[in-house]
Amino acid sequence: MNPRIFLSPPHMGGNEQAYINEAFASNYIAPLGHNVDLFEQQIKEYTGAKYALALTSGTAAIHLALRVLGIKDGDEIMASTFTFIGSVAPILYERCIPFFIDSDTASWNLDPDLLEEELAKRSSKGIKQPKALILTHLYGQSAHILRIKNICQEYGVHLIEDAAESLGATMDGQHTGTFGEMGVYSFNGNKIITTSGGGVLVSNNAKLIEHARHLSTQAREATSHYEHTEYGYNYRMSNIIAGIGRGQMEVISERIKRRREIFDLYRAELDNIEGITFMPELETSHGNRWLTTLLLPEKVSPESIRTYLEKHNIEARPLWKPMHAQPLFKDSNGCINGVSDTLFAQGICLPSGSSMSNSEVKLVSSLIKDKLS
Ligand SMILES: Cc1ncc(COP(=O)(O)O)c(C=O)c1O
């Protein structure tokens, strides 16, 4: 049996341990210190965002974005339905009401036509607009961000970009996560680069990031005793794991290059099979191809492929089950067109780790071909 092929395992660059050792040497075993400052600096330089705040997770970053944008109990928040739960759970933390928008087939991400129709309809009927949109760039591929940003601006809706999976992906050369008022990256264990767990909130608005920084450290006022005028959280990233982040940021470009090569290799192996469709890439965008994802021929269930690969010690995964189809959100409203339901029913994520060899990609491909023949 071949050694296990994981979906997207961590892939260290080499300097992470040295930066962790620096934290030990300086005894900054704390949620502040040199590694945290330098990691934030690297994110700003790499993405072009003016301000960055390192946190315990991407979910925490989305939560803080909602808080600092002034979202209140009972406000309505729109969100991509085709996403991971971490995108939208913070809507519930703040006792707000989610409204889900489906995908289009051109991007697999949020359909800008559906969004525009809904906001225009509300505007003409005098119905209240949502306070914010949480837009996800899924699997490392940019959504129609330019159009969606314009639509949000036209109707006065705050735009939060969930770029948890899309660090390094660009549209017209600009990084996903930097178009909206706030952007979020995740450094969870299986992301394109990782800190074992972690997140970063970015913005070009200094006040928003300063407020988020305050809330991320229990909202302590600047007094010698502990004074609080609002409630916060314990969300700041530790100086130890920021050391991992520093090392990982040194290799992000190599990691993206390799993920894109893996995608191209899968496509060369499988694209000529009738009924297989790979996740698209919008014109003028450049994705990080975090995971290679594809739709299988209609008669083939993704679960049959997943279990077949599992028998060969290979980890694959279904596409995200859309939020509108989750029992948790059974009473929620949205604009649903069936696209994300089809993606979930027919799609699969193939192992895509940047440490995979070409022969491993070919092995996965040949097993899929065997199973389909
Ligand atoms: C699309 C998306 N949003 C949000 C998150 C949440 O990030 P984290 O796991 O760092 O909380 C993730 C990843 O885990 C994700 O894939």
Side-chain angles (χ1 to χ4, degrees), residues 57-59 62 83-84 86-87 136 138 162 164-165 186-188 191 198 320:
S57 71
T59 309
I62 293 173
T83 192
F84 169 71
S87 281
T136 304
L138 219 54
D162 177 353
E165 301 176 358
S186 167
F187 298 87
N188 187 27
K191 291 294 183 284
W320 298 126

Side-chain angles (χ1 to χ4, degrees), residues 307-361:
T307 49
Y308 184 68
L309 292 175
E310 190 54 53
K311 273 192 203 124
H312 292 83
N313 208 18
I314 294 168
E315 185 187 18
R317 194 161 75 182
L319 297 194
W320 298 126
K321 180 173 179 176
M323 292 302 120
H324 71 266
Q326 299 286 353
L328 176 63
F329 293 116
K330 66 180 186 328
D331 299 323
S332 298
N333 293 321
C335 297
I336 303 305
N337 59 13
V339 171
S340 62
D341 289 324
T342 304
L343 294 172
F344 174 58
Q346 282 311 126
I348 191 158
C349 304
L350 299 181
S352 311
S354 46
S355 49
M356 261 180 107
S357 65
N358 286 357
S359 55
E360 285 176 319
V361 177

